[in-house]
Amino acid sequence: MSESIDAAKISIIIPAINEAGNIKKAIATTQASTNIEVIVVDGGSSDDTVAIAQSLNVKVISSSPGRAVQMNAGALAASGEILLFLHADTRLPTGFDEMIRTALQQPGIVAGAFKLRIDASLFSLRWVEWGVNVRSHFYQMPYGDQAIFLTKEVFQKIGNFPELPIMEDFELMRRLKRIGRIVIIPTPVVTSARRWLQKGVLKTTLLNQIVITAYLLGVSPERICSWYRREKFKRL
């Protein structure tokens, strides 16, 4: 098992919709690595996302919109034994490929993600990072902006991403925790601060906690998503 993981190909799946401003940087951070493929899954962009990705000589496929749907489509098209799900506004650290292969060789580990750093200097975002990293480490609950990775075999075993309009990464982690441990690589990925800056750090953090609570209380993901999006775009 460890020998095959040590030499395993990593398929990096990037779901994107209108990410022309970010997609080039995300792809650039994948390039100084070995035995990888990059698959951009476009959900119907109206900007130059597709053209930019194609110009960088990576695989580009189309799917229906929706992050979970797009990531599952990318996984289906992937030829690697390891899947890495990367948000278009997140950048990977140098040496991520060897870190992932090493992490997945540890006994009992079924998946992993990276520590989080947010790309803005606000002091309040350092508290957000701290909270995210504590949650990830102690509760083994990283979210999608931390670049989740796992083997294709495990991904298929747990039934892929649940095709929910929201909370797909949360639900994936709950399923994974039932079959093994989730490792957090201490080297961070760097993610855009845009979703915190749009509504303010405090409001965004509170909104995220309300969404998680509602989901755990059984409120339908469709209803949560409708409410969340209304809040998200109220100030835009």
Side-chain angles (χ1 to χ4, degrees):
M1 177 71 173
S2 62
E3 283 185 14
S4 61
I5 289 291
D6 195 43
K9 183 177 186 178
I10 301 174
S11 295
I12 303 165
I13 296 157
I14 309 176
I17 298 180
N18 294 331
E19 291 286 4
N22 290 306
I23 196 71
K24 185 174 183 178
K25 287 180 182 176
I27 292 171
T29 62
T30 71
Q31 297 307 292
S33 51
T34 57
N35 197 19
I36 62 132
E37 68 174 347
V38 178
I39 303 171
V40 174
V41 188
D42 185 70
S45 295
S46 56
D47 64 3
D48 291 333
T49 298
V50 170
I52 292 167
Q54 288 174 336
S55 75
L56 296 170
N57 206 25
V58 300
K59 183 185 287 188
V60 180
I61 64 174
S62 298
S63 87
S64 302
R67 188 170 273 155
V69 175
Q70 290 170 250
M71 291 190 291
N72 285 340
L76 194 63
S79 61
E81 296 89 352
I82 297 171
L83 306 177
L84 168 60
F85 296 98
L86 179 68
H87 287 188
D89 62 353
T90 297
R91 300 190 294 282
L92 293 164
T94 303
F96 73 89
D97 49 335
E98 292 309 314
M99 294 178 204
I100 288 172
R101 292 187 185 100
T102 299
L104 289 176
Q105 289 180 65
Q106 296 177 46
I109 296 298
V110 294
F114 291 81
K115 189 175 176 181
L116 184 72
R117 191 162 84 239
I118 302 168
D119 191 13
S121 58
L122 285 176
F123 180 72
S124 54
L125 289 173
R126 304 293 78 80
W127 282 102
V128 172
E129 290 170 349
W130 180 83
V132 167
N133 293 324
V134 166
R135 181 201 69 219
S136 302
H137 181 75
F138 288 104
Y139 296 100
Q140 297 182 66
M141 286 296 288
Y143 295 163
D145 50 12
Q146 292 171 254
I148 294 166
F149 57 85
L150 70 175
T151 64
K152 184 186 279 188
E153 181 183 1
V154 167
F155 186 68
Q156 292 170 342
K157 180 178 178 180
I158 61 167
N160 302 1
F161 274 100
E163 295 195 350
L164 306 173
I166 197 168
M167 303 294 286
E168 75 287 335
D169 47 0
F170 184 89
E171 184 57 37
L172 184 84
M173 287 301 132
R174 291 175 82 191
R175 295 180 184 182
L176 286 166
K177 283 172 69 175
R178 293 180 194 131
I179 64 169
R181 291 193 300 120
I182 297 158
V183 67
I184 305 299
I185 291 175
T187 305
V189 291
V190 179
T191 197
S192 167
R194 61 183 176 179
R195 64 190 178 96
W196 286 279
L197 299 180
Q198 282 170 355
K199 299 186 296 292
V201 175
L202 180 60
K203 184 174 181 182
T204 302
T205 302
L206 287 173
L207 185 58
N208 288 343
Q209 295 310 309
I210 291 167
V211 165
I212 292 166
T213 302
Y215 183 76
L216 291 173
L217 289 173
V219 179
S220 77
E222 289 75 20
R223 187 174 175 187
I224 295 171
C225 187
S226 172
W227 177 76
Y228 181 81
R229 285 183 175 151
R230 195 160 60 241
E231 287 294 315
K232 182 178 178 181
F233 294 110
K234 198 176 281 182
R235 286 179 49 186
L236 296 185

